[in-house]
């Protein structure tokens, strides 16, 4: 499962700030998240932060549209930069729900993608792959459940991984593998 490979602890910290942080406006929350020490210099943490901030802005604007459509329209047309400083009572609940949906998408992404495999790979096709991530492996094996196709596996340099991939691909009755 993806959650075993993807370190979600930075995301969990951000979600905790949404749920339990001391903030009243979207602007307060964005400042809280931006100022939150990362503890690591890794791009996934910054990407999580950017995505959560986008969710905050989107949810804030959705709430504001419901309360004052004319003000929002005027602001957008005049090029006004939104300050996200209005208190909106339902924002916290909406952000908790939106951040849970985002987390679920991350945790089940590999499964969702692999379930679409037979839509993209058809019988008789030849698929070239250089190395093989768990996503690619699962995608190809899922497609092999219903389609007969050939995989040309180009070595990534890791003999143990290469042998594991060729063995996994060759063991399927609908899948030919050339390395």
């Amino acid at each position: 499962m993806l959650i075993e490979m993807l370190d979600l602890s930075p995301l969990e910290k951000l979600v905790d700030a949404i749920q339990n942080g001391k903030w009243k406006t979207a602007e307060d929350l964005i400042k809280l998240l931006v100022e939150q020490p990362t503890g690591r210099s890794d791009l996934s943490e910054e990407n999580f932060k950017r995505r959560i901030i986008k969710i905050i802005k989107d949810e804030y604007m959705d709430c504001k549209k419901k309360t004052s459509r004319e003000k929002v329209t005027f602001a957008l047309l005049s090029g006004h930069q939104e300050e996200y400083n209005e208190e909106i009572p339902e924002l916290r609940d909406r952000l908790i729900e939106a951040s849970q949906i985002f987390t679920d998408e991350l945790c089940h992404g590999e499964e969702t993608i692999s379930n679409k495999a037979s839509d993209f790979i058809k019988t008789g096709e030849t698929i070239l792959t250089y190395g093989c991530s768990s996503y690619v492996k699962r995608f190809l094996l899922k497609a092999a459940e219903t389609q007969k196709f050939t995989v040309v596996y180009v070595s990534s340099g890791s003999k143990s991984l290469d042998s594991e991939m060729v063995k996994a691909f060759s063991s399927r009755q609908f899948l030919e593998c050339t390395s």
Side-chain angles (χ1 to χ4, degrees):
M1 184 176 194
L2 177 62
I3 199 154
E4 296 169 357
M5 298 180 304
L6 185 61
D7 179 11
L8 294 178
S9 59
L11 179 59
E12 290 167 358
K13 289 178 192 174
L14 298 172
V15 171
D16 183 60
I18 291 170
Q19 293 175 341
N20 304 314
K22 299 198 183 319
W23 59 273
K24 292 185 184 227
T25 67
E27 185 175 29
D28 295 342
L29 179 57
I30 291 169
K31 284 180 184 175
L32 180 71
L33 297 181
V34 168
E35 294 169 357
Q36 186 173 0
T38 58
R40 307 178 336 189
S41 60
D42 127 351
L43 286 178
S44 67
E45 187 160 347
E46 290 304 315
N47 286 335
F48 287 148
K49 202 177 271 192
R50 274 193 292 278
R51 182 66 176 119
I52 292 294
I53 289 171
K54 180 174 181 350
I55 289 169
I56 294 166
K57 290 178 176 182
D58 290 348
E59 291 298 324
Y60 177 85
M61 292 306 291
D62 282 350
C63 289
K64 280 202 59 164
K65 283 178 188 172
K66 290 178 182 173
T67 59
S68 60
R69 189 172 307 275
E70 300 82 24
K71 283 170 62 175
V72 171
T73 302
F74 175 75
L76 291 174
L77 292 175
S78 67
H80 172 71
Q81 186 72 15
E82 185 61 52
E83 295 177 2
Y84 305 101
N85 59 6
E86 185 178 320
E87 284 188 42
I88 301 174
E90 70 268 18
L91 185 60
R92 186 179 298 264
D93 290 336
R94 288 184 61 147
L95 289 174
I96 290 170
E97 182 181 345
S99 61
Q100 185 58 52
I101 290 168
F102 176 58
T103 303
D104 290 346
E105 287 172 355
L106 287 174
C107 292
H108 301 293
E110 185 174 348
E111 180 181 345
T112 302
I113 291 169
S114 66
N115 287 337
K116 301 278 186 196
S118 62
D119 294 344
F120 293 94
I121 298 177
K122 302 298 177 204
T123 297
E125 290 184 335
T126 300
I127 307 299
L128 172 67
T129 180
Y130 173 76
C132 198
S133 69
S134 63
Y135 277 98
V136 172
K137 178 182 174 184
R138 186 170 177 169
F139 184 85
L140 293 172
L141 293 176
K142 187 71 173 177
E145 292 175 3
T146 59
Q147 309 292 335
K148 182 175 173 109
F149 58 95
T150 301
V151 173
V152 177
Y153 176 78
V154 179
S155 173
S156 63
S158 167
K159 290 190 188 284
S160 62
L161 179 63
D162 292 344
S163 141
E164 176 190 329
M165 291 301 124
V166 171
K167 186 177 180 179
F169 294 150
S170 298
S171 68
R172 300 295 176 149
Q173 80 181 61
F174 292 113
L175 190 61
E176 285 181 44
C177 184
T178 307
S179 63

